[in-house]
Amino acid sequence: MEQLSAGKKLDRAFDKLGKKHTLSFELDLDTDAASLKALDAKSDPAPGDEMPDEAAKLLSDAKIAVTVESKKPLDESGDKDLVGMAMKISSPAGALAEYRLIGDYAYLRADFKKIGKLTGTPVPGAEELPPQAGALKNVLAGKWVKFDAKETRKAAAGGQGSHGSPAPAPSLDAATQKKLGAAVRQVVARDVHLKTVDGEDGTEHVTATAPFRKLVSELLGKVRPLLAKDLPQGMELPTAKDLKDAPNAKVTADFTLKNGDLTEVDVDLAKLAETAKVKKLGLRVRLGEGTRPTVPAGAAKLDMKDLMQGFFGGAPTGDSSFAESDLSGLDAS
């Protein structure tokens, strides 16, 4: 039977993920509210800017579940191959917000009453909005709404391209993806210590340990020239100089494998807290079988252009132009 090194086992596990058309994972912080409060206090926030107890509790309990589906294997996919994406943020109290992207439309719903209660910040009820608010009332009522994601991306891109069409969203070509993967593997092979440990129920653990600042600095140094042309205008990756004050303590990631499949990743970040008194501080990612994102029934159409005009067009004045544009185009059908 072939005996594989720890690095080869990880390579094969990630290669298997790349061959999938659908991938689901759940992300959460492995910490508690007290540890987050201690970290916040260590950052010396200004009086009144301290992390509220409710926010610390929410962050420590929240989970984010994501599913992505593509027409092609994920390691061959680009933006145009994406079939659908779904994301759900939840807490022990239930779902807080959900977002789905299917075709040209994005679907959204959020439980603002629950969010307001958990954060200690009350949110106005749907009944407080005027009738012309249309589908915006559905948003505050926690119902599904949908909007044209393509039009929203055009607005976010800041206008039209040189020939009257929106500028294409940057994406990595296959050659760049391969160069990026090779660069990352080169740094990992040089700076990361890998070890294999047998687990329970047929599982196997590969642990990866490396000094945080050195690893991140070298990774960014390798990928920066490869990603420079694909980053949004005005956005730059941090340099080694930017990271000089980051902790250089060793961080360990524990990869759980079962039958060669990657099922969970646990990253222990407690040493990065330095002198802050934290009980535990980690990041956990659980991988599972993908479920296809579906279109939610009964979603009301929301005109994002009119919504943005209402929110960002300026404060109400005596001028009637605000009243004419403010939320008037929302379609509740």
Side-chain angles (χ1 to χ4, degrees):
M1 184 175 178
E2 184 182 11
Q3 295 296 316
L4 300 177
S5 68
K8 194 65 175 179
K9 289 175 182 177
L10 276 186
D11 279 346
R12 288 195 173 184
F14 280 107
D15 285 343
K16 290 177 76 172
L17 285 179
K19 302 306 177 188
K20 294 177 178 286
H21 288 250
T22 305
L23 177 68
S24 290
F25 62 89
E26 182 182 81
L27 174 70
D28 71 285
L29 287 173
D30 183 20
T31 187
D32 55 21
S35 295
L36 292 178
K37 292 280 286 183
L39 282 173
D40 179 62
K42 183 71 171 58
S43 69
D44 195 23
D49 290 339
E50 300 88 351
M51 179 182 290
D53 292 344
E54 297 88 354
K57 178 67 173 170
L58 176 60
L59 286 172
S60 64
D61 288 341
K63 298 184 189 313
I64 301 175
V66 177
T67 296
V68 178
E69 182 186 15
S70 174
K71 290 182 288 187
K72 294 182 179 180
L74 292 171
D75 60 2
E76 301 175 15
S77 296
D79 291 342
K80 65 182 183 300
D81 302 309
L82 185 67
V83 174
M85 188 273 282
M87 180 175 70
K88 182 164 90 169
I89 304 173
S90 59
S91 76
L96 299 176
E98 292 188 67
Y99 173 83
R100 300 179 191 176
L101 180 62
I102 302 171
D104 291 336
Y105 275 91
Y107 302 82
L108 174 70
R109 74 171 173 182
D111 192 331
F112 285 103
K113 287 186 178 179
K114 196 174 291 179
I115 293 172
K117 184 177 180 180
L118 289 171
T119 60
T121 306
V123 178
E127 66 280 358
E128 298 179 46
L129 294 179
Q132 63 267 32
L136 183 56
K137 300 184 75 165
N138 288 3
V139 175
L140 292 183
K143 298 179 180 180
W144 281 106
V145 294
K146 66 178 182 180
F147 55 90
D148 191 321
K150 186 183 294 185
E151 292 300 322
T152 304
R153 284 194 292 268
K154 287 181 187 178
Q160 304 293 314
S162 57
H163 299 286
S165 59
S171 60
L172 296 179
D173 56 64
T176 301
Q177 289 184 49
K178 288 183 179 179
K179 289 180 182 178
L180 189 60
V184 170
R185 290 184 182 189
Q186 181 183 354
V187 173
V188 169
R190 184 175 62 243
D191 295 332
V192 178
H193 175 69
L194 299 172
K195 184 173 67 172
T196 303
V197 180
D198 289 334
E200 299 177 354
D201 300 324
T203 63
E204 195 172 28
H205 294 267
V206 175
T207 61
T209 304
F212 178 75
R213 184 175 66 242
K214 181 183 179 183
L215 179 62
V216 174
S217 298
E218 294 198 8
L219 282 174
L220 289 175
K222 287 287 187 182
V223 305
R224 187 180 295 106
L226 299 175
L227 297 181
K229 65 182 177 63
D230 296 298
L231 293 174
Q233 189 173 4
M235 180 180 175
E236 295 181 358
L237 294 174
T239 64
K241 184 178 179 180
D242 296 327
L243 295 167
K244 64 182 178 62
D245 294 327
N248 203 36
K250 289 186 177 180
V251 171
T252 297
D254 184 331
F255 299 85
T256 302
L257 308 177
K258 188 162 188 177
N259 299 323
D261 292 318
L262 181 62
T263 60
E264 186 170 317
V265 183
D266 290 280
V267 185
D268 185 359
L269 302 172
K271 290 184 179 179
L272 299 184
E274 297 183 304
T275 58
K277 295 181 179 179
V278 299
K279 183 178 179 181
K280 58 178 178 177
L281 179 64
L283 182 67
R284 177 177 294 129
V285 181
R286 296 185 183 90
L287 294 100
E289 289 298 321
T291 55
R292 186 176 183 182
T294 57
V295 174
K301 188 176 180 182
L302 186 65
D303 190 320
M304 293 300 289
K305 185 185 296 183
D306 287 344
L307 177 62
M308 292 179 73
Q309 285 178 349
F311 278 145
F312 305 116
T317 66
D319 191 323
S320 62
S321 61
F322 182 86
E324 290 172 0
S325 65
D326 188 22
L327 304 177
S328 59
L330 293 176
D331 180 6
S333 62

